[in-house]
Structure formats: C-alpha cells, structure tokens
Amino acid sequence: MPELPEVETTRRGIEPYLLDQSITSLTIHQWQLRWAIPKTIKQLKNQTIISVDRRGKYILIKTKIGQAIVHLGMSGSLRICTDNSEPRRKHDHVEMQLSNGALLRFHDPRRFGCLLWQKADEPTHKLLFKLGPEPLTDEFDGAHLIRATRKRKTAIKNLIMDSHVVVGVGNIYASEALFMAGIRPGRAAGRVSHAECEKLVEAIKKILNQSIDQGGTTLRDFVNSDGEPGYFKQSLFVYGKAGEDCQACKATIKQKVLGQRSTFYCTTCQR
DNA sequence: ATCGCCTCCTGCGCGC
DNA sequence: TGCGCGCAGGAGGCGA
C-alpha cells in the first residue's frame, strides 16, 4: 500500500525516463479505475513532459497543455520497461510509450487508483485544491497542527490522516508516528497538548524521511523488474503487531478499529 | 463545519 | 487439496 514515501520513490524512479520525452502513444486497457479515465486523457499524445511532480500522494505528469493526475490507491504502481519484449501483466491498465523507447506501465489490481486529466488553463483541480500542507515542508509545524486540532473531537489518528490537515500520512505511519510521540490514537484531537502536537509533527517528519531514505536504495527496482517495485518494509514498532511485545516496554501491543481502519498501539507507552 | 459511514476492487489468509 | 468466506485498505462523497 503506497504511502507518501513510496509515492515519492516512484516519482523519483520514473522521472528520469519521462522528463523531456514526448508521449508517442497512450494505450488504455482498462478505463474503469476509482473514477473512469476521461477520454480527454488522449490529449497527452504527442505532448512533451516538462515535469514529474508530487502533491500528497498524487503524481502529476505535466505537459504544456495540461497534466495527468495519477493516484496509486492502495495497490497501484508505476513501472518503466526499457525492454519492449517484456509482456504486459494482468492489471497493467495503462501503457505510455515514450520517445526514448521507454514504456511506462500503470499497474493496479484493486483499481483504487486513478488517472485524470487537467487542462493547463483550468483552475487547480478540485482533488488538489483543498489539500493541506506537505508534511516535509516548514509549513507543517507544531503551530499548524495545534490550530487544526483545537476543539476537534475526532480521534487524533483520524485527524492526521485527513488530507485537508496534512497530506500523505497513511494508516501505517499514522500508527507509527503516534507511537513515537507517545499519544493514544483514539484520544480526541482537541485534547492533545501543544507540546504533544510539536512532538507528533516531528515524529511524522522523521518516519516519512527515514522511509524515503530507504526507498532511495530501491530506485533501480522501478525498471525492468519482476514483482512489485521498490516498496520497502520499514521496521515497524506497532503496525501489524497486535499481540506482540512492545519493543520499548514489553507490554502487549493492542489493536482496535478507528475510523474503519486497523489501529495499533501500546497502552503503556502511549497515553 | 464536523463527523462517521459507505463505496469502489482484488488478493490473500483462514477455517473447514 | 480445494473451496468459500471475510477482511484489508485511500480517500472522496454524502447524509445527518
């Protein structure tokens, strides 16, 4: 399940193959993703890619006349094939042929991802318009989280996973960051102290940065590789560890559902 | 404005 | 061994 570090690693992995290349053909094998791919996506053909950016978990492939907006959902991946004999796999829904001979493939078994098109003269896409700050910028700081949490009754874990508050914090790292900050996931956001907000912000940045650093070593897996691209197993303290001993205090890691999502925490380390 | 539930889909793991 | 069931999950959309 791609979290922000995986998406950023994907962006870095594909960027060198896409930048300054023109799209010589675009083949859609499956139009029905989370939302149907718009027919207007065909405008990409013969356009030159001028940048490959990321906003939250959205990858933005920009040309002069507009940009493709790609989301990997939870099972999506983007891969580069430089060997044209490599067969298309099941669930390779979109193929983008580039002028340098590379082929970009969008693979997504569960089809929770999306591929949308936005013309350059249109206002910011509604999916991108209301997004909160990037977690790794200075804009996301303690003061921001304090502001966002005051008088909020929703669980702090739900709040940090809300993309209007901050983008890119997924279910796994939400549990991990709250463990690192010593905060119970279910606590009302408004009851998290200023000092704890500062701590939580630092924990989120640390976890995401660590994971991106690890991803850097797997960049080559984005090209001509079998299996899934270089997603990485960061060493996790609580996620998926229900029933196991907490590595910090030996208490048993608990699991509960919060906002319809599995949540893991240590009742001793987190208050 | 805020909250919480629903939904999309397939692969996997479990129990029998 | 094989089958069927239920769960997992990002995040927008919607009803209350």
Side-chain angles (χ1 to χ4, degrees), chain A residues 92-129:
Chain A
D92 280 348
H93 303 314
V94 178
E95 295 181 295
M96 185 187 288
Q97 183 65 56
L98 300 154
S99 48
N100 58 5
L103 180 67
L104 178 71
R105 283 179 165 145
F106 176 68
H107 178 84
D108 187 6
R110 295 186 192 177
R111 288 193 265 146
F112 278 20
C114 69
L115 170 59
L116 300 172
W117 172 251
Q118 182 187 22
K119 282 170 62 185
D121 56 11
E122 286 172 355
T124 305
H125 197 279
K126 65 172 183 177
L127 293 178
L128 307 175
F129 185 66

Side-chain angles (χ1 to χ4, degrees), chain A residues 238-254:
Chain A
V238 289
Y239 185 84
K241 300 204 180 290
E244 296 182 29
D245 291 349
C246 171
Q247 292 174 44
C249 76
K250 307 296 180 199
T252 305
I253 301 296
K254 295 278 189 289

Side-chain angles (χ1 to χ4, degrees), chain A residues 29-243:
Chain A
H29 300 282
Q30 167 64 268
W31 292 85
Q32 199 55 53
L33 301 179
R34 178 176 185 183
W35 298 289
I37 300 171
K39 300 284 185 203
T40 48
I41 198 71
K42 288 288 183 184
Q43 294 176 30
L44 270 175
K45 195 178 174 190
N46 295 327
Q47 294 301 313
T48 298
I49 295 168
I50 56 179
S51 67
V52 181
D53 297 326
R54 179 186 60 74
R55 180 74 177 96
K57 294 184 186 172
Y58 293 96
I59 290 175
L60 309 174
I61 300 174
K62 191 176 265 181
T63 74
K64 194 175 73 181
I65 64 162
Q67 65 181 357
I69 300 174
V70 181
H71 197 290
L72 301 178
M74 70 151 294
S75 60
S77 58
L78 290 169
R79 298 290 293 283
I80 298 285
C81 298
T82 54
D83 176 2
N84 284 347
S85 67
E86 196 172 315
R88 187 166 72 90
R89 294 176 303 161
K90 191 179 181 184
H91 305 305
D92 280 348
H93 303 314
V94 178
E95 295 181 295
M96 185 187 288
Q97 183 65 56
L98 300 154
S99 48
N100 58 5
L103 180 67
L104 178 71
R105 283 179 165 145
F106 176 68
H107 178 84
D108 187 6
R110 295 186 192 177
R111 288 193 265 146
F112 278 20
C114 69
L115 170 59
L116 300 172
W117 172 251
Q118 182 187 22
K119 282 170 62 185
D121 56 11
E122 286 172 355
T124 305
H125 197 279
K126 65 172 183 177
L127 293 178
L128 307 175
F129 185 66
K130 293 183 193 164
L131 292 181
E134 288 289 328
L136 298 176
T137 61
D138 291 342
E139 203 186 334
F140 180 59
D141 60 7
H144 173 81
L145 189 60
I146 290 163
R147 246 180 285 124
T149 49
R150 292 313 91 175
K151 297 182 180 170
R152 294 291 300 272
K153 293 189 170 125
T154 197
I156 184 65
K157 172 167 179 272
N158 295 345
L159 186 124
I160 60 174
M161 290 178 65
D162 181 347
S163 64
H164 303 115
V165 173
V166 57
V167 297
V169 180
N171 197 42
I172 297 174
Y173 296 149
S175 277
E176 293 296 315
L178 285 161
F179 173 79
M180 198 181 279
I183 304 165
R184 289 269 180 103
R187 195 176 343 150
R191 303 197 61 169
V192 176
S193 73
H194 288 207
E196 286 171 325
C197 282
E198 301 272 3
K199 207 170 172 185
L200 183 52
V201 165
E202 291 316 307
I204 289 168
K205 289 176 188 282
K206 188 173 178 185
I207 284 174
L208 295 178
N209 272 321
Q210 277 178 356
S211 201
I212 288 172
D213 288 347
Q214 289 180 23
T217 64
T218 68
L219 283 181
R220 60 196 164 83
D221 294 346
F222 282 83
V223 183
N224 298 338
S225 161
D226 294 330
E228 290 309 297
Y231 297 152
F232 24 96
K233 298 262 190 287
Q234 161 150 346
S235 50
L236 301 173
F237 286 98
V238 289
Y239 185 84
K241 300 204 180 290

